[in-house]
């Protein structure tokens, strides 16, 4: 359970951060939007965002019925961290600003960049498992 009211809507806001905001964080955001529905607000960003979403990540998510093809990588901002109740980092190290009172988790996940669909499926499935566990603590 969250320990405070995160915003006017009363929904917790979760920010997923990885380096390029093109694979892991986009898949995590896709799962949380799909599984969490209107119970959570979802943000994602990258410390050094890429130019487009990883097409293999898009394909892997499409296999489970989630379309992230229209998403665009976004730059990590101090404001997005401040607006979040939970910040999930995935390999961006110390690039994410720290604010007291926020819940931080670091998910050690392989980077799908440059990998084929066979290698990305287990990453996708691990992200889903972690997102499901996260939802249970939020709502």
């Amino acid at each position: 359970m969250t320990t405070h009211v995160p915003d006017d809507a009363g929904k917790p806001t979760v920010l997923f951060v990885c380096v390029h905001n093109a694979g892991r964080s986009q898949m995590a955001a896709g799962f949380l939007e799909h599984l969490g529905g209107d119970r959570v607000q979802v943000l994602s960003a990258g410390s050094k965002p890429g130019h487009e979403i990883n097409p293999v990540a898009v394909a892997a998510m499409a296999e489970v019925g989630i379309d992230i093809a229209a998403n665009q990588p976004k730059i990590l901002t101090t404001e997005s961290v401040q607006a979040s109740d939970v910040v999930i980092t995935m390999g961006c190290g110390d690039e994410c600003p720290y604010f007291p009172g926020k819940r931080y988790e670091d998910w050690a996940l392989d980077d799908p960049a440059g990998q084929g669909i066979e290698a990305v499926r287990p990453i996708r499935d691990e992200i889903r498992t972690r997102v499901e566990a996260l939802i249970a603590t939020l709502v």
Side-chain angles (χ1 to χ4, degrees), residues 8-19:
D8 294 335
K11 298 179 198 178
T13 299
V14 178
L15 170 64
F16 294 102
V17 183
C18 67
V19 177

Side-chain angles (χ1 to χ4, degrees), residues 41-53:
Q41 293 184 24
V42 183
L43 304 171
S44 71
S47 54
K48 296 175 183 150
H51 298 292
E52 63 183 9
I53 302 297

Side-chain angles (χ1 to χ4, degrees), residues 77-96:
T77 64
T78 300
E79 293 76 23
S80 62
V81 177
Q82 286 178 309
S84 301
D85 301 289
V86 181
V87 180
I88 308 290
T89 58
M90 304 173 189
C92 60
D94 296 331
E95 307 236 358
C96 189

Side-chain angles (χ1 to χ4, degrees), residues 8-9 31 48 61-63 65 73-74 92 106 108 115 129 132 134:
D8 294 335
F31 274 125
K48 296 175 183 150
M61 293 299 285
E63 289 180 349
K74 293 172 269 324
C92 60
D106 185 55
Q115 307 228 37
T129 299
E132 288 170 343
L134 176 66

